[in-house]
């Protein structure tokens, strides 16, 4: 595999940003794209530092793009950088100019861990015309519940989302998006995995039940006694790549 680190100026962020990209050594045609998103406290290097991602991608005709979004929760911050616009639009446009990527939703996917899994779900639910599949590992699926459980982060969440009233029913509220999904609107495929001893397990189980009720094509993989850790995510990202292999074959 070939790896690239690219620094460039982002109009959405009004500053320079950095991404890591993994490409096959020999590109046979235009490539499908996986945006692979990091969690809280991590950066664009985390997937490469903590997993065997490059080995798992061997011989795959897939471009994997890993952006840096800091502590943004993949939001357009109310008085700051537009991280959601950056990941959902600007990054894809720039990457398509740099590399031979397919530009249809069928060949564009998002995956992530924890905060990044939330980001992947936010992308596919808000932009199904751009992303056909979302892979969420140990995801935060209910931000309002998370906010209520973490009063010490009140000021931070307010800077990201405004008030709890502003968050409810917004493009950042995954539950409301699914609950209000139009009957005739095409749904993206959603794959979830979470350890049963993870603090977010109940959120993931409840969210999957909602997806089933709303007739989304979805899978939920609970893993007995696993917790919020890279050893678990390393195994699960291999399952994500295998799932994409089956879809693309």
């Amino acid at each position: 595999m070939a790896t690239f680190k690219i620094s460039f100026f982002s109009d959405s962020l009004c500053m320079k940003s950095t991404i890591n990209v993994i490409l096959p050594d020999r590109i046979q045609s235009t490539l499908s794209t996986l945006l692979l998103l990091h969690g809280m406290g991590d950066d664009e290097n985390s997937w490469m530092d903590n997993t065997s991602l490059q080995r798992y991608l061997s011989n795959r005709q897939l471009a994997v793009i890993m952006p840096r979004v800091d502590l943004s929760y993949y939001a357009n911050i109310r008085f700051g950088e537009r991280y959601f616009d950056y990941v959902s639009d600007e990054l894809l446009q720039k990457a398509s100019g740099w590399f031979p990527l397919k530009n249809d939703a069928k060949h564009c996917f998002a995956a992530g861990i924890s905060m990044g899994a939330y980001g992947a779900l936010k992308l596919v639910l808000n932009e199904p015309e751009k992303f056909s599949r979302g892979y969420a590992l140990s995801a935060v699926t209910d931000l309002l519940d998370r906010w209520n459980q973490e009063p010490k982060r009140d000021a931070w969440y307010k800077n990201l989302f405004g008030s709890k009233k502003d968050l409810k029913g917004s493009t950042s509220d995954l539950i409301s998006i699914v609950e209000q999904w139009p009957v005739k609107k095409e749904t993206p495929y959603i794959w979830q995995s979470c350890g049963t001893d993870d603090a977010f397990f109940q959120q993931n189980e409840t969210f999957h039940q909602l997806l089933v009720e709303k007739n989304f094509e979805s899978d939920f993989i609970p893993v007995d006694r696993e917790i919020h850790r890279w050893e678990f995510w390393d195994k699960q990202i291999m399952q994500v790549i295998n799932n994409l292999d089956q879809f693309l074959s």
Side-chain angles (χ1 to χ4, degrees):
M1 307 303 294
T3 61
F4 302 83
K5 181 177 287 289
I6 303 173
S7 296
F8 60 96
F9 185 85
S10 165
D11 295 326
S12 301
L13 305 181
C14 297
M15 63 181 180
K16 289 188 70 174
S17 189
T18 303
I19 62 172
N20 286 323
V21 181
I22 301 177
L23 299 178
D25 284 331
R26 297 181 180 179
I27 298 175
Q28 298 172 2
S29 182
T30 51
L31 301 171
S32 299
T33 304
L34 174 64
L35 289 188
L36 190 53
L37 309 180
H38 69 75
M40 189 180 301
D42 288 331
D43 59 21
E44 72 279 8
N45 301 310
S46 299
W47 279 102
M48 296 174 65
D49 289 345
N50 294 288
T51 73
S52 297
L53 179 64
Q54 290 169 272
R55 178 163 57 86
Y56 300 151
L57 289 169
S58 180
N59 300 319
R60 264 83 174 187
Q61 290 293 302
L62 180 69
V64 178
I65 300 174
M66 293 160 280
R68 176 175 182 154
V69 301
D70 304 305
L71 297 174
S72 69
Y73 252 105
Y74 299 85
N76 287 337
I77 298 175
R78 290 174 63 81
F79 304 105
E81 301 85 355
R82 303 193 314 276
Y83 281 97
F84 182 76
D85 291 349
Y86 168 64
V87 176
S88 68
D89 185 46
E90 182 183 3
L91 183 58
L92 291 174
Q93 288 190 33
K94 281 186 164 62
S96 294
W98 296 329
F99 306 111
L101 307 180
K102 292 182 171 67
N103 59 8
D104 61 299
K106 181 181 178 181
H107 295 94
C108 193
F109 324 109
I113 56 166
S114 195
M115 182 188 79
Y118 164 83
L121 293 173
K122 183 175 180 178
L123 284 172
V124 300
L125 291 172
N126 281 287
E127 304 278 1
E129 71 282 358
K130 295 180 182 177
F131 300 90
S132 62
R133 300 172 80 83
Y135 296 86
L137 282 60
S138 309
V140 178
T141 60
D142 188 339
L143 264 181
L144 283 169
D145 177 71
R146 189 68 176 154
W147 193 336
N148 289 330
Q149 296 296 323
E150 297 183 308
K152 65 181 180 180
R153 292 180 172 175
D154 187 66
W156 173 36
Y157 285 133
K158 283 182 178 177
N159 184 49
L160 294 178
F161 306 112
S163 66
K164 293 179 183 178
K165 184 177 179 180
D166 292 329
L167 175 58
K168 180 66 175 177
S170 72
T171 57
S172 295
D173 183 356
L174 304 182
I175 292 174
S176 290
I177 295 172
V178 175
E179 287 177 337
Q180 299 170 18
W181 197 271
V183 175
K184 296 183 178 180
K185 186 176 180 179
E186 186 174 356
T187 60
Y189 168 76
I190 292 177
W191 186 97
Q192 296 170 254
S193 181
C194 191
T196 58
D197 289 347
D198 192 301
F200 299 149
F201 179 75
Q202 188 59 58
Q203 281 198 15
N204 277 267
E205 188 173 51
T206 300
F207 189 72
H208 176 65
Q209 291 170 355
L210 177 61
L211 291 171
V212 172
E213 291 171 9
K214 292 298 181 178
N215 298 313
F216 277 67
E217 183 185 358
S218 62
D219 289 300
F220 177 42
I221 315 298
V223 180
D224 190 40
R225 292 185 288 186
E226 265 297 353
I227 60 174
H228 215 70
R229 61 176 187 155
W230 276 107
E231 290 85 354
F232 170 61
W233 300 325
D234 179 52
K235 296 174 182 176
Q236 295 306 301
I237 194 61
M238 182 169 60
Q239 299 304 315
V240 169
I241 293 168
N242 289 340
N243 184 280
L244 285 172
D245 278 347
Q246 295 174 17
F247 172 69
L248 293 169
S249 62

